[in-house]
């Protein structure tokens, strides 16, 4: 048991990535709009995440390559290779640059919910200095250089974030019978499809499939470590699922009181008169931790993907790798500080991600089901069956997301 706990690590980055401001907002709004009714969608999302991330980790440990690198090798026809790599770069690198503003803004909202800081004027513009502070913290953590140190910092933040959201959910004295029903009895309230798709889409994150296959190789270097990787995934992603459910349960408290809001800061403030200032402070800190951990992992994922797709090697490769994650964070700081929302860029990123999720999941599924690539570690019957079901759902999710943005 001691050895198992010593081997926990890479999946903390995965949990830190999907428990971001987007997930917190989606889950809280789902709770406010539908109470406990959509908890089952969260359970499905977590199970799907565990299955796909296990495939990603297994692929990295068996092949010694990450998903982006395998895509570059797998396609031999030039136009297929170029098209697939462009899609990956647009969705992951450009997409994460666009979302970084949202991650940093989320951390700022959480910080502001606790400390109530005002903006400062700079050259006749209202400038929020908090994004600069958040960006500086993220750059400092990544500049530690050691993967182990980065992993430890993120593990600490994930644990503190988990405690803050779980305690805030317990403070509101939830209806445990209603929670059990929401988890195990699927229901589809009127106008809930968009929320269901959003819950799945913010939990099953495409860039995590690329990131996980790379970072497991920083921790282990042998297929013999698959059992530890599975334990790591079950613990960290399971904890992430509990956090997401705690946020939805907190939102459901306002649903039961008949209070509607569409803004996180108002959501946190709305809990204060009902359940005390502690609830809003805990949610504020949780939102801050969610924002800063997602800021770090989004930048790291973009750097890993670009490194693999462009096959960067040696000292120059390490320099380019560092410049990518610095650039991703700085783009988020600039957009967040000036209050600029790069809407067209974000929309492009969302469409690309909607297309990329089934693309990445299908490619991952093909590789880990192939005995030539995976040997005895290829998918078994149950992994193949559940994986295929997840693929069908991801195709549906991608189709609905594209239609939504076209309309």
């Amino acid at each position: 048991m001691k050895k198992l706990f010593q081997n926990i690590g890479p999946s903390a980055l995965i949990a830190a990535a999907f428990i971001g401001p987007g997930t917190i907002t989606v889950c809280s709004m789902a709770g406010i709009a539908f109470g406990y009714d959509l908890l089952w969608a969260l359970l499905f999302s977590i199970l799907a995440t565990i299955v796909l991330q296990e495939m990603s980790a297994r692929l990295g440990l068996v092949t010694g390559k990450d998903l982006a690198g395998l895509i570059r090798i797998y396609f031999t026809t030039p136009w297929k290779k170029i098209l697939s790599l462009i899609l990956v770069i647009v969705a992951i690198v450009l997409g994460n640059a666009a979302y970084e503003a949202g991650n940093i803004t989320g951390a700022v909202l959480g910080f502001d919910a606790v400390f109530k800081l005002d903006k400062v004027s700079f050259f006749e513009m209202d400038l929020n200095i908090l994004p600069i502070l958040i960006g500086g913290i993220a750059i400092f953590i990544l500049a530690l250089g050691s993967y182990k140190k980065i992993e430890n910092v993120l593990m600490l933040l994930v644990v503190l974030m988990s405690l803050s959201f779980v305690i805030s959910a317990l403070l509101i004295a939830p209806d445990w019978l209603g929670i059990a029903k929401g988890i195990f009895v699927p229901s589809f309230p009127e106008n809930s499809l968009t929320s269901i798709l959003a819950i799945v889409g913010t939990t099953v994150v495409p860039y995590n499939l690329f990131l996980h296959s790379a970072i497991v190789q920083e921790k282990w270097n042998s297929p013999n470590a698959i059992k530890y990787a599975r334990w790591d995934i079950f613990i960290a992603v399971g904890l992430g699922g509990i956090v997401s459910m705690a946020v939805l349960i907190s939102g459901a408290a306002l649903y039961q009181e008949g209070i509607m809001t569409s803004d996180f800061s108002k959501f946190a403030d709305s809990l204060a008169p009902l359940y005390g200032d502690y609830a809003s402070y805990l949610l504020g800190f949780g939102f801050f931790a969610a924002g800063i951990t997602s800021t770090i992992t989004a930048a790291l994922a973009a750097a890993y993907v670009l490194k693999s797709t462009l096959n960067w090697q040696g000292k120059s490769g390490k320099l380019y790798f560092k410049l990518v994650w610095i650039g991703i964070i700085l783009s988020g700081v600039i957009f967040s500080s000036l209050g600029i929302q790069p809407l067209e860029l974000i929309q492009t990123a969302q469409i690309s991600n909607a297309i990329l999720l089934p693309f990445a999941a299908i490619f991952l599924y093909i590789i880990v089901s192939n005995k030539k690539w995976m040997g005895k570690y290829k998918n078994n019957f149950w992994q193949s069956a559940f994986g295929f079901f997840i693929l069908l759902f991801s195709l549906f999710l991608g189709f609905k997301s594209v239609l939504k943005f076209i309309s």
Side-chain angles (χ1 to χ4, degrees):
M1 184 63 71
K2 182 180 179 181
K3 193 170 184 180
L4 286 173
F5 277 105
Q6 286 175 341
N7 279 284
I8 290 177
S11 294
L13 276 71
I14 303 306
F18 78 74
I19 312 172
T23 299
I24 303 306
T25 301
V26 165
C27 291
S28 60
M29 295 305 111
I32 291 169
F34 304 106
Y36 302 131
D37 288 348
L38 299 187
L39 280 170
W40 67 268
L42 262 176
L43 177 63
F44 170 81
S45 301
I46 295 303
L47 292 176
T49 301
I50 289 173
V51 170
L52 290 176
Q53 296 303 150
E54 189 276 337
M55 289 184 188
S56 176
R58 184 156 35 102
L59 176 145
L61 290 173
V62 173
T63 66
K65 295 178 174 60
D66 59 47
L67 186 58
L70 282 171
I71 290 175
R72 179 171 49 82
I73 296 169
Y74 186 83
F75 291 105
T76 55
T77 307
W79 73 266
K80 290 181 181 178
K81 184 191 293 285
I82 293 171
L83 182 63
S84 60
L85 293 181
I86 287 174
L87 176 61
V88 169
I89 290 172
V90 169
I92 302 297
V93 180
L94 185 61
N96 285 9
Y99 289 138
E100 201 72 322
N103 291 330
I104 291 175
T105 301
V108 168
L109 278 174
F111 200 93
D112 192 53
V114 177
F115 295 104
K116 312 293 183 186
L117 297 178
D118 295 323
K119 294 180 179 179
V120 297
S121 294
F122 186 74
F123 287 114
E124 299 183 353
M125 291 190 304
D126 284 336
L127 180 67
N128 191 340
I129 61 172
L130 285 180
I132 300 172
L133 175 63
I134 302 299
I137 293 171
I139 288 175
F140 172 76
I141 292 172
L142 285 174
L144 292 173
S146 166
Y147 168 78
K148 184 62 181 176
K149 291 178 181 177
I150 296 170
E151 180 187 274
N152 288 339
V153 170
L154 288 178
M155 283 176 65
L156 176 62
L157 284 171
V158 168
V159 169
L160 292 175
M161 174 172 56
S162 302
L163 288 173
S164 68
F165 283 125
V166 171
I167 292 172
S168 67
L170 293 175
L171 283 175
I172 66 175
D175 174 11
W176 294 107
L177 185 61
I179 289 172
K181 182 181 177 183
I183 292 174
F184 298 110
V185 182
S187 62
F188 297 85
E190 188 177 356
N191 299 320
S192 65
L193 179 60
T194 299
S195 293
I196 292 170
L197 293 174
I199 287 171
V200 178
T202 57
T203 306
V204 187
V205 182
Y207 78 71
N208 273 347
L209 301 180
F210 293 87
L211 178 62
H212 206 168
S213 61
I215 59 176
V216 288
Q217 297 175 58
E218 302 276 1
K219 182 84 172 182
W220 305 291
N221 56 11
S222 168
N224 295 330
I226 288 175
K227 60 182 178 181
Y228 300 120
R230 286 172 176 163
W231 173 258
D232 178 41
I233 292 164
F234 180 78
I235 295 294
V237 176
L239 185 63
I242 292 172
V243 169
S244 298
M245 288 186 178
V247 174
L248 192 149
I249 289 167
S250 299
L254 298 186
Y255 171 82
Q256 292 169 337
E257 296 291 335
I259 299 173
M260 294 296 294
T261 180
S262 59
D263 184 284
F264 171 79
S265 58
K266 294 177 183 176
F267 166 50
D269 291 340
S270 298
L271 286 174
L274 296 174
Y275 305 105
D277 289 336
Y278 291 115
S280 61
Y281 289 152
L282 286 166
L283 281 173
F285 175 79
F287 209 66
F288 163 75
I292 199 163
T293 53
S294 290
T295 297
I296 293 166
T297 52
L300 201 58
Y304 271 117
V305 165
L306 210 55
K307 177 185 176 182
S308 292
T309 53
L310 300 181
N311 198 26
W312 289 338
Q313 303 289 338
K315 290 184 179 180
S316 59
K318 290 181 180 179
L319 176 61
Y320 298 151
F321 181 85
K322 185 179 292 187
L323 289 175
V324 171
W325 60 252
I326 290 174
I328 296 288
I329 293 173
L330 289 180
S331 69
V333 169
I334 292 168
F335 285 127
S336 183
S337 297
L338 299 178
I340 299 171
Q341 293 297 325
L343 295 179
E344 291 183 2
L345 194 60
I346 290 174
Q347 285 186 345
T348 302
Q350 287 175 322
I351 294 170
S352 298
N353 270 321
I355 298 170
L356 183 66
L357 177 58
F359 171 79
I362 288 170
F363 185 78
L364 177 64
Y365 182 83
I366 290 171
I367 291 293
V368 294
S369 299
N370 191 318
K371 192 170 183 177
K372 177 183 174 182
W373 287 83
M374 301 294 293
K376 66 179 182 179
Y377 298 103
K378 76 180 186 70
N379 277 347
N380 60 33
F381 173 79
W382 292 110
Q383 288 169 327
S384 295
F386 195 40
F388 185 72
F389 178 71
I390 294 170
L391 291 185
L392 293 178
F393 193 88
S394 69
L395 284 168
F396 174 71
L397 175 65
F399 179 70
K400 291 292 291 186
S401 298
V402 171
L403 285 182
K404 177 183 175 183
F405 283 106
I406 289 174
S407 65

